[in-house]
Amino acid sequence: MSQSPTYDDVRGAATRIEPYAHRTPVLRSRLIDEQLGAEVVFKCENFQRVGAFKFRGAFNALSRFTPEQRRAGVVTYSSGNHAQAVALAAQLLGIPATIVMPHDAPAAKVAATKGYGGQVVAYDRYTEDREEIGGALAAERGLTLIPPYDHPHVIAGQGTVAKELFEEVGDLDALFVPLGGGGLLSGSTLSARALSPDCRLYGVEPEAGAKAAQSVRQGSVVHIDTPKTIADGAQPQHLGAFTFDVIRREVTDFHTATDRELVEAMRAFATFMKIVVEPTGCLGFAAVRDLAAQLRGQRVGVIISGGNIDLGRYASLLAA
Ligand SMILES: *Cc1c(COP(=O)(O)O)cnc(C)c1O
């Protein structure tokens, strides 16, 4: 568990999740290719179970529990896609799940988590620390804590997204990955290095909180205040020890996107590809649009990480 994950771990994860996870489609748009002057392939995790790639890492991590761990149960903290991913994975594997969520989390997310059989424990995000609460529950009740990104089995599961992409499309010149705590990017990196070694790797963060770029520049994990952005899946305040270790060694560069650029990418996805993508899921494509001049003539991969957004909010973002 204290070992840094490798591509072998990604392969193992692929075998474990295969009967349960969707092999998501890779989509292209002739109009987007023409506009950008590049060949762009989109790996669509908005079509994954629970609507985001997080199901992969959660399922892989839970499927590695010992019988005792399974009986006692899992605990995690998340207000977003990881909560639902752990709840569903636990339900499929017959493991009791406790999810620590802020008391002001969107009602739809709380309902979805409970709908998968997760037991929700509410906390006050302004006065209490979710990692502490999760740790205390784990200690008191003998639960196993599965954090949203900084865990080798979670990273290995997330790496199966890029593994499937490279297996389907072959070598790429560059791959753009949404970046929060870095589970998806570090997993993608493991697969890219094994399957398309010369592919340039880009992590894309909200402009309001570019902690990864700062961390790599400084050589240690930088902590920031929770960034104010519509990209709610990319609001962690810091990378983890495991994710930083992979990212600092292998990632080519970092880029940022403003909320406005994310909305324009959402609009392009709806217009040209007819798909609903949540703001965080647009980070990679927003960066490609911004860097189009330097990507001309190249084969470019984009991970669309998720599609969970309340439709009223989606409509109002696009109308603004
Ligand atoms: C969690 C999440 C991310 C960020 O993933 P990390 O592994 O934390 O970097 C990006 N997009 C969506 C839709 C997410 O749910």
Side-chain angles (χ1 to χ4, degrees), residues 118-170:
Q119 192 203 327
V120 173
V121 173
Y123 77 103
D124 183 339
R125 71 163 109 201
Y126 301 101
T127 60
E128 297 178 292
D129 180 75
R130 65 182 197 170
E131 299 184 24
E132 250 169 45
I133 297 173
L137 282 169
E140 281 161 25
R141 303 186 191 172
L143 310 178
T144 302
L145 180 67
I146 296 297
Y149 51 87
D150 203 32
H151 188 295
H153 301 164
V154 172
I155 293 169
Q158 318 308 30
T160 60
V161 178
K163 176 177 184 290
E164 290 175 16
L165 175 63
F166 287 113
E167 284 171 353
E168 186 161 337
V169 306

Side-chain angles (χ1 to χ4, degrees), residues 80-284:
N81 293 329
H82 180 66
Q84 290 170 65
V86 167
L88 174 59
Q91 184 182 53
L92 292 168
L93 292 163
I95 297 173
T98 303
I99 319 284
V100 180
M101 294 180 95
H103 62 64
D104 56 351
K109 293 197 167 167
V110 176
T113 304
K114 287 183 176 165
Y116 292 124
Q119 192 203 327
V120 173
V121 173
Y123 77 103
D124 183 339
R125 71 163 109 201
Y126 301 101
T127 60
E128 297 178 292
D129 180 75
R130 65 182 197 170
E131 299 184 24
E132 250 169 45
I133 297 173
L137 282 169
E140 281 161 25
R141 303 186 191 172
L143 310 178
T144 302
L145 180 67
I146 296 297
Y149 51 87
D150 203 32
H151 188 295
H153 301 164
V154 172
I155 293 169
Q158 318 308 30
T160 60
V161 178
K163 176 177 184 290
E164 290 175 16
L165 175 63
F166 287 113
E167 284 171 353
E168 186 161 337
V169 306
D171 281 322
L172 292 171
D173 295 308
L175 178 64
F176 288 81
V177 184
L179 170 53
L184 182 61
L185 178 60
S186 46
S188 301
T189 298
L190 299 175
S191 293
R193 286 296 162 255
L195 300 174
S196 186
D198 296 329
C199 179
R200 304 191 308 281
L201 289 160
Y202 295 86
V204 189
E205 305 182 274
E207 192 183 68
K211 71 223 167 282
Q214 283 183 53
S215 301
V216 169
R217 216 178 302 124
Q218 167 176 320
S220 62
V221 174
V222 169
H223 291 242
I224 60 169
D225 291 336
T226 298
K228 285 201 171 54
T229 167
I230 59 171
D232 55 3
Q235 285 181 311
Q237 293 167 275
H238 55 87
L239 300 178
F242 289 108
T243 60
F244 177 63
D245 179 55
V246 176
I247 288 169
R248 75 190 303 192
R249 280 187 278 124
E250 301 285 357
V251 169
T252 311
D253 207 354
F254 301 90
H255 205 69
T256 59
T258 63
D259 283 359
R260 191 193 183 84
E261 289 169 325
L262 294 176
V263 170
E264 286 318 306
M266 274 169 59
R267 191 187 312 282
F269 281 133
T271 306
F272 300 120
M273 294 167 65
K274 319 302 173 195
I275 58 175
V276 174
V277 182
E278 64 183 275
T280 316
C282 292
L283 282 164

Side-chain angles (χ1 to χ4, degrees), residues 4-37:
S4 204
T6 66
Y7 182 62
D8 266 348
D9 298 315
V10 180
R11 285 208 307 223
T15 306
R16 271 177 229 109
I17 70 171
E18 197 267 336
Y20 298 93
H22 296 313
R23 193 175 180 99
T24 52
V26 175
L27 299 184
R28 296 191 51 184
S29 159
R30 190 183 303 244
L31 281 168
I32 288 174
D33 282 3
E34 276 172 16
Q35 278 182 3
L36 299 178

